[in-house]
Amino acid sequence: MDSTTSTPTAAFYAKLCNFAVLFLFLLSCSTFTYTEAYDPLDPNGNITIKWDVISWTADGYTAVVTIYNFQQYRHIQAPGWTLGWTWAKKEVIWSMTGSQTTEQGDCSRFKGNIPHCCKKDPTVVDLLPGTPYNQQYTNCCKGGVISSWVQDPANAASSFLLVVGSAGTSNRTVRMPKNYTLRVPGPGYTCGPGKIVRPSKFLTADKRRVTQALMTWNVTCTYSQFLSQKTPTCCVSLSSFYNNTIINCPTCTCGCPNSITQPGSCVQSGSSYLDALGKSSYTPLVRCTSHMCPIRVHWHVKLNYKEYWRVKITITNFNYRMNYSQWNLVVQHPNFENVTEIFSFNYKSLTPYGNINDTGMLWGIKFYNDLLMTAGPSGNVQSELLFPTKGAWMNGSVAAEVLDSYMHLTAESSSFRFKFMGTLQNVPIILEHDGQGVMVSL
């Protein structure tokens, strides 16, 4: 070993029992509500659906509906959002711009002009990219994909316009829809009731005049890990330069290969079946591994110099059917307050617990590594981080030995515990590893 490096001591391993490393992987700002939906790493994050009535019609109104993603890291990826509600009366949708309902429903009571949708509980989806210009609306037509607020705030919203009939024609007679639902595309979000707020204001193109909506109401949707699928969809492995032992993902973390009850549940690398594989399905088809997860995150303590630790993070895609665009990784580690440098990834510090700065969000650089390709030689992204061996922690000085102890990961200690929490496509994962292959899924 180079003379500039240091060797871990037994004291480091003894301290290891007192600390845990928390990772959050994702592959793609209201308060706590009665729905009890809550994300511990983004406690104030939510999706807000704003309805702005911009004009009255002979039998109803015209409204602009905007979906704002105020979540710091959780984004909505393909196949995109699906929004639903139940009308309070017998309203119909005469027309839509920038979106469409999935079903028209029974419009037999109408003669002549037929509404776009007559269902009591319509389901709305975004239009696809390439939609003709005269059918588009501001921030529409992205296939329902919405970026997270931190990663790409310019694309963290989606809008559409609809003309509602058989409805009220004034602030006193309009009734807000109820029973809102949001799928992105799976479960996990709970939406509260509509709440009338101050009318939105709009600045004209020449920025010389301000107009306002005739009526505005907001719907807040919050995320809950307990409402999402509880089956893990990714795992974490650990290693270090000073130990040849690798803490692998526990066996059958995301499922077990079973050729009897689930033939074709995984594919061997190099199989001829891959040549004819289509990518139209969003159902994962993974490479056959011991863990059977579509995604693996590997944390490797690479070097220990006198003044800093060097850590390498590798994210590998084992899914043959899906690229993960706008992926991000949230890592919680006691030494993130002192991170010195990060290579080839974007980085932003998150502070979900007030002044405790131990959580960081990493994501790819646009047009370089923001797309995690399907399983294969190009199906991975990686970066390296530098942490100082000396620095300040919790507003006080910390000895190098204490900070070093945070970085030590070893499979030799039976008391070592590792916890992973996260989401992939809004599916929650909570794992615990005790260094001996034990895994608990909640």
Side-chain angles (χ1 to χ4, degrees), residues 180-407:
Y180 291 92
T181 60
L182 178 67
R183 300 179 67 87
V184 291
Y189 287 87
T190 301
C191 299
K195 180 180 180 181
I196 296 177
V197 296
R198 290 184 177 180
S200 300
K201 294 185 177 182
F202 311 99
L203 189 64
T204 58
D206 60 7
K207 299 182 180 180
R208 300 178 64 187
R209 173 178 164 79
V210 175
T211 61
Q212 74 176 43
L214 304 176
M215 184 178 183
T216 299
W217 63 83
N218 286 348
V219 177
T220 301
C221 302
T222 48
Y223 178 82
S224 171
Q225 294 179 342
F226 300 103
L227 298 179
S228 294
Q229 179 182 344
K230 296 182 180 181
T231 304
T233 55
C234 56
C235 64
V236 177
S237 56
L238 310 169
S239 64
S240 63
F241 71 92
Y242 51 79
N243 193 321
N244 292 328
T245 302
I246 297 176
I247 302 179
N248 291 309
C249 294
T251 302
C252 297
T253 299
C254 302
C256 296
N258 192 327
S259 59
I260 299 177
T261 61
Q262 292 180 309
S265 59
C266 66
V267 178
Q268 296 289 348
S269 178
S271 170
S272 59
Y273 175 71
L274 296 176
D275 298 332
L277 181 64
K279 295 183 175 62
S280 58
S281 174
Y282 290 99
T283 303
L285 180 62
V286 301
R287 182 190 305 172
C288 294
T289 60
S290 60
H291 54 76
M292 288 292 289
C293 292
I295 296 291
R296 182 189 66 195
V297 180
H298 186 75
W299 174 279
H300 175 67
V301 181
K302 188 175 181 180
L303 291 170
N304 173 23
Y305 289 100
K306 273 188 175 181
E307 297 184 355
Y308 64 85
W309 287 91
R310 193 180 188 101
V311 173
K312 182 176 182 179
I313 297 177
T314 303
I315 306 168
T316 305
N317 186 5
F318 292 95
N319 189 349
Y320 286 106
R321 279 190 173 141
M322 182 177 289
N323 296 323
Y324 293 94
S325 60
Q326 295 189 324
W327 61 268
N328 60 52
L329 171 71
V330 175
V331 183
Q332 188 175 31
H333 190 283
N335 211 22
F336 254 105
E337 186 172 22
N338 306 300
V339 65
T340 301
E341 190 171 0
I342 297 177
F343 304 93
S344 69
F345 282 176
N346 290 307
Y347 168 79
K348 179 176 174 58
S349 175
L350 304 179
T351 53
Y353 308 112
N355 296 327
I356 301 177
N357 181 14
D358 63 352
T359 306
M361 174 176 167
L362 308 171
W363 69 96
I365 298 173
K366 194 170 185 178
F367 304 126
Y368 176 60
N369 58 0
D370 61 334
L371 178 64
L372 179 57
M373 300 295 290
T374 55
S378 301
N380 68 87
V381 291
Q382 51 190 292
S383 179
E384 296 188 1
L385 296 76
L386 298 184
F387 293 96
T389 55
K390 295 183 179 181
W393 174 250
M394 296 294 287
N395 299 320
S397 299
V398 182
E401 183 180 53
V402 175
L403 287 176
D404 284 352
S405 70
Y406 288 124
M407 303 303 300

Side-chain angles (χ1 to χ4, degrees), residues 2 8 41 66 96 104 136 164 174 197 249 308-309 362-363 376 382 386 413:
D2 193 284
L41 290 183
T66 304
M96 302 188 76
Q104 183 183 38
Q136 295 186 24
V164 181
V174 166
V197 296
C249 294
Y308 64 85
W309 287 91
L362 308 171
W363 69 96
Q382 51 190 292
L386 298 184
S413 172

Side-chain angles (χ1 to χ4, degrees), residues 27-28 47 49 67-69 71 74-84 124 143-146 181-191 221-224 228 423-427:
L27 273 152
S28 7
I47 292 179
I49 305 167
I67 302 173
Y68 294 99
N69 184 9
Q71 298 174 114
R74 200 179 300 280
H75 63 273
I76 301 175
Q77 63 182 43
W81 56 263
T82 300
L83 178 63
V124 177
V145 174
I146 303 180
T181 60
L182 178 67
R183 300 179 67 87
V184 291
Y189 287 87
T190 301
C191 299
C221 302
T222 48
Y223 178 82
S224 171
S228 294
T423 63
L424 175 63
Q425 287 187 286
N426 302 308
V427 176

